[in-house]
Each structure stands twice: as structure tokens, then as C-alpha cells.
Amino acid sequence: MDAVEGVVVAEDEAFWSVVESGEGGALAEVLGLEAGVVEGVLPALVDWRRSRVERSRAAGMRYRVSWSVVDGGAGVLSGRWLVVASEGVPGERVEACVGALVRGGAEPVVVVLDDGELDRWELAGRLTEEDGFGGGFAGVLSLVGLDGRTGVVGVRVGVPVGVAGSLALVQALGDAEIGVPLWCVTSGAVSTGRADGVVVPEQAMVWGLGRVAALEFPQRWGGLVDLPAVWDERVGGRLAGVLGGVEDQVAVRASGTFARRLARVAAGAGRPGEFASGGAVLVTGGTGALGAAVARRLAVRGVPELVLTSRRGLGAPGAAELVAELAGLGARATVVACDVADREALAGLLGEHPVTGVVHAAGVVDTVPLVGVGLEEFAEVLRAKTLGARYLDELVPDAEMFVLFSSIAGVWGSGGQAAYAAANAYLDGLAEARRARGLVATSVAWGPWADAGMLV
Ligand SMILES: NC(=O)c1ccc[n+]([C@@H]2O[C@H](COP(=O)([O-])OP(=O)(O)OC[C@H]3O[C@@H](n4cnc5c(N)ncnc54)[C@H](OP(=O)(O)O)[C@@H]3O)[C@@H](O)[C@H]2O)c1
């Protein structure tokens, strides 16, 4: 800033502090006008200033995930590498990864788990046996995350085999005392830009889970590698490079190796849009802390009709008072008890109350160290967020507003919250997948809110 600009900035600041003081006489003096002239516009100026300051403060708190091209590394590996896959992982993918390890200098030992071995204890037994044959591995490459099947016996509804298997593997490696770096492979979990294919939200869950494993078991964590749908020799070389390199959240693409970064959103980018439709908005978890806050904000912004859901509905504390408060703000609110993870119930609700906008804020959190979390409780934390979001995506595809309440736990992990992180990573992935399909969607990964909500 040069001297002239500095003077202008100082004068601007002085002017706006007079506006913020709300004193008409002082402002009239600054402007050289009669006090009566400025008094009429002063309240509007004060409001304008306040909203701009709030908006720029909020903008300063915004970050987004970005991808940087990095040096792919030399790809020099050594020692025995345990490669773990499951029945649903395409054989050619296993072969390609094994080939990449061999060319990188490693000696792969391949274990393909059948569906009966997805259980943590079965798996620990099998791994102990494999480890015992040669006396130790240099690393573990898990391809289990690539198994996109659902509905396999023993794996709960809403938990893809790749996620259940990855959870079992992280735990079983600890049980079998195999303390070498674990690398988890996915395909389509992340998008590095427009040239990428569509994100598969189920694959993104493995990244959410992996980031928590990285926090809880740093000494035996390698990283996450996302591979492209189409394999070629360069991809194999880059995979070996990543396994021998320093980056731990990487997308390998035909065009290069990309490392995940968190970057500040540039000022002025993604200016807030207005929800212009006069239609109704569904707020799931609408009787919870953040759901109620967003309902109030929507009412203030002129949304005429709100449909608020939670499992307890009007039985939730404060629900009736919230309806009255929203009426006072000009919105007609209906509270309906509905489990968003129950597709039929959700479809029935939307049949009765058609909406043009969706805010999906329903969710539960649980804090259990990864070493002890069971598949049942893992699935329980996933269901409202992931099944709810999936059904909303299917049932309101052309929503004019589709906002998912995600969490920072999904972005950088949170100790003891593997399922919660996986669920939020799913939401972020679903928003990307919708946008790639030309639909609207925004996933807001909130940091902890003060004063209210599930983390207080
Ligand atoms: N609070 C924070 O600091 C924070 C930070 C980051 C992200 N978030 C996210 O923001 C969202 C709202 O959080 P909050 O703090 O407002 O939590 P909250 O007060 O506990 O509200 C959660 C709401 O979800 C409802 N819900 C849970 N399972 C449901 C299901 N299966 N079907 C329908 N409704 C269900 C709950 O009501 P019932 O129990 O009656 O169903 C409750 O109304 C969550 O998705 C959370 O992950 C919050």
C-alpha cells in the first residue's frame, strides 16, 4: 500500500466508525450536511455496514480443499508388502497394484479375504498367520476400500463392504501387532478438478475413516491414495512413488500426482447467493440446535414455509415454541416426526409436503476410540447422515437449494469419531457428485459451534 492509499484507508475507517456509532450529528459534520438530511438514511447505512462486516468476517473463516501437483517420488520400495483385498475388488485392480509394487522393488504378499473374513477377529487370525510366515512386512496396501458392494451378510445396511472391511482391517492389524504403515486405496473418493470422474460418496467414507486412523495410530499409518478409473503404466509408477514418498493424502491421476491441501477461500469468491424460490424448505434435524438456527435464518430471509423433521418431532424440547417463533418471523412451520434414514417414511413426508429446498442437518455423533468401535455402533452413527442424504438426493433431485451440514471432523479427522468422520466425508462427496451431475448442492463442513448443539 502506498502513502496515498494508506490515507484513503484511514479516512474510510474513520468514516465507517462514525456510521457505526449511529450518531447522526457526527455523521452530518463529517459529510458537511444538515443533521436532518442524514438522519433518514443513517439506520440503513448502519445495517448495510453491519451486514458487510459480518459477511467479510464469515468469509475470512472459509476454507476449501484444494489439490497441488507434487513430485511423484522415486518409487523405490523394498521388503515384503502385505496386499489385502476382498472378494468384491476387481481382480485386474489387484493385479495392477501388485505389478506396481513389484516394479517399485517390493515383494507383495496377497491376501484376498472372503466375506466370512471381514470380521475383525477372523481377520486378525489370518494376518497373524501371514505375518508369521516371513517375519514381518515393510508396509500394508489395502485395496479393500475398492469393494463397493452393500448388503453382504454380516455387514449392516448403509455400510459398504469397503468401509466395513477397512474398519476391520485397521483394527485387526493392531490386534495382530503388525505395526507397519497402512495405505488405503480408493477410486473416485475425491475429485481434483473438472477432468476427474464423478466422486463416489461411498469411497469418500474410507477417506473419512482413514483420517481418524491417521490421528489415532500415527505410528502405523501410511496414507490414502485415490486411483483413477483407467489404469496405465504411469499410474502404477506414481502409486509406487506415493508409497515411498512423504504425502499422505494423494490422488494419482494420468496427468500427475496430486496432494490434498486445505486453502483459504479467496475473498469475494463464492459470493452468497439468495434462495429466491417461494417454495417450502425441508430442514432435517430441524428441531435440533443448528436446524432451528437455520430455520430462523430462512424465515428472516423470507422463506414462507418450513418443514422441520426429527425422530421426536413435536416431542423434541422447544419444538412447539420454535413453531411459534417462526410464525412471528413470518414463516409457517410444520414439525413432522420422521426418521430420515427410513426411505419410505421420508418419501411419504415429501409426498405430503413438497419442498423446493433442503437443508440436511440431521445427525448423531458418538465418541469411541477406533480400537474399540463395533460395526453396529459405527453403522448407527452413519445412518441419519448418509442414508438420509442419499434418499434426499434421490427424492428431491431437482431441489433449488440442497445444503448438507457436514463437519470439520470429515475434513481433517477427529480422534474417537471414525464413523462421524466417515459420514461427513460421505456428505462432502455427495455434494461433489451432485454438482458433477449438474445439480445444486453445498456441503458446509462446520467447525464446532459455540453455545449450542451436539458438541456443547
Ligand atoms: N454443533 C456443532 O458444533 C456442529 C459442528 C459441525 C457439524 N455439525 C452438524 O450439524 C448438524 C446439526 O448438529 P446440532 O449440533 O444441531 O445437533 P443436535 O442439536 O443434536 O441436532 C441433531 C438433530 O438431528 C436429529 N436426528 C438425529 N437422527 C435423526 C434421524 N435418523 N432422522 C431425523 N432426525 C434425526 C435430532 O433429533 P431426534 O433425536 O429427535 O431425531 C436432532 O434434531 C449435524 O449434522 C452435525 O453433524 C454440528
Side-chain angles (χ1 to χ4, degrees):
M1 196 189 307
D2 64 24
V4 176
E5 281 171 328
V7 171
V8 172
V9 169
E11 283 181 350
D12 281 357
E13 273 171 15
F15 172 78
W16 285 114
S17 74
V18 172
V19 170
E20 282 162 3
S21 75
E23 285 172 27
L27 182 61
E29 205 178 313
V30 171
L31 294 173
L33 296 170
E34 293 291 321
V37 179
V38 296
E39 251 148 37
V41 294
L42 185 57
L45 264 180
V46 171
D47 279 355
W48 186 90
R49 173 67 174 167
R50 190 177 300 131
S51 80
R52 284 303 181 284
V53 169
E54 272 174 17
R55 193 183 284 182
S56 87
R57 268 200 202 120
M61 292 185 219
R62 290 191 300 150
Y63 295 79
R64 66 160 32 112
V65 168
S66 68
W67 295 88
S68 297
V69 180
V70 288
D71 177 3
V76 182
L77 303 171
S78 62
R80 298 170 77 236
W81 274 70
L82 176 65
V83 180
V84 187
S86 53
E87 279 184 44
V89 179
E92 61 275 17
R93 259 298 145 111
V94 180
E95 272 169 38
C97 289
V98 166
L101 284 180
V102 171
R103 276 187 291 283
E107 188 194 323
V109 176
V110 182
V111 170
V112 179
L113 307 171
D114 62 43
D115 289 345
E117 288 175 313
L118 290 170
D119 167 81
R120 162 189 189 168
W121 306 110
E122 289 282 336
L123 186 48
R126 175 90 189 265
L127 297 178
T128 308
E129 234 172 69
E130 296 288 347
D131 191 44
F133 292 150
F137 295 109
V140 180
L141 185 65
S142 168
L143 308 182
V144 176
L146 297 170
D147 194 331
R149 292 174 302 153
T150 51
V152 168
V153 178
V155 179
R156 284 273 308 262
V157 177
V159 190
V161 171
V163 175
S166 300
L167 172 64
L169 180 60
V170 170
Q171 294 175 327
L173 285 166
D175 299 336
E177 296 180 6
I178 299 177
V180 297
L182 166 66
W183 288 86
C184 292
V185 170
T186 55
S187 184
V190 296
S191 167
T192 59
R194 289 215 178 121
D196 266 0
V198 173
V199 167
V200 182
E202 287 77 8
Q203 293 280 296
M205 288 162 84
V206 177
W207 278 56
L209 165 62
R211 285 191 275 264
V212 175
L215 292 177
E216 294 197 37
F217 309 119
Q219 69 290 356
R220 60 178 179 89
W221 183 248
L224 295 154
V225 195
D226 194 70
L227 299 179
V230 179
W231 183 279
D232 66 26
E233 280 306 308
R234 287 171 304 175
V235 169
R238 287 182 182 133
L239 171 61
V242 169
L243 300 180
V246 294
E247 296 289 347
D248 70 344
Q249 296 184 46
V250 184
V252 169
R253 298 291 181 260
S255 56
T257 300
F258 297 81
R260 188 171 178 269
R261 301 280 184 259
L262 205 55
R264 265 188 192 280
V265 174
R271 291 182 62 75
E274 293 294 328
F275 176 58
S277 160
V281 175
L282 169 70
V283 183
T284 72
T287 59
L290 274 50
V294 86
R296 285 186 196 100
R297 182 54 75 105
L298 289 169
V300 168
R301 289 292 185 94
V303 171
E305 201 171 334
L306 293 159
V307 183
L308 312 179
T309 65
S310 62
R311 289 163 303 178
R312 284 168 294 176
L314 270 174
E321 292 82 348
L322 177 62
V323 172
E325 189 188 342
L326 292 170
L329 295 171
R332 193 157 65 86
T334 311
V335 177
V336 186
C338 173
D339 180 349
V340 282
D342 177 338
R343 195 182 194 285
E344 216 175 297
L346 188 60
L349 166 86
L350 290 164
E352 231 172 280
H353 303 277
V355 297
T356 53
V358 171
V359 178
H360 181 39
V364 293
V365 68
D366 197 9
T367 304
V368 187
L370 196 38
V371 72
V373 69
L375 191 53
E376 286 284 315
E377 52 194 333
F378 195 90
E380 202 45 46
V381 172
L382 291 185
R383 66 187 292 284
K385 281 199 176 246
T386 60
L387 291 178
R390 188 208 296 172
Y391 299 151
L392 288 166
D393 175 39
E394 290 168 4
L395 294 166
V396 204
D398 48 5
E400 293 166 32
M401 174 176 77
F402 193 92
V403 179
L404 303 165
F405 271 31
S406 171
S407 163
I408 197 70
V411 175
W412 61 35
S414 176
Q417 297 186 338
Y420 185 67
N424 286 299
Y426 177 96
L427 297 185
D428 300 346
L430 181 71
E432 290 204 70
R434 273 183 65 95
R435 291 173 87 106
R437 277 160 35 213
L439 303 173
V440 299
T442 304
S443 187
V444 185
W446 297 106
W449 280 48
D451 304 329
M454 58 170 58
L455 301 179
V456 172

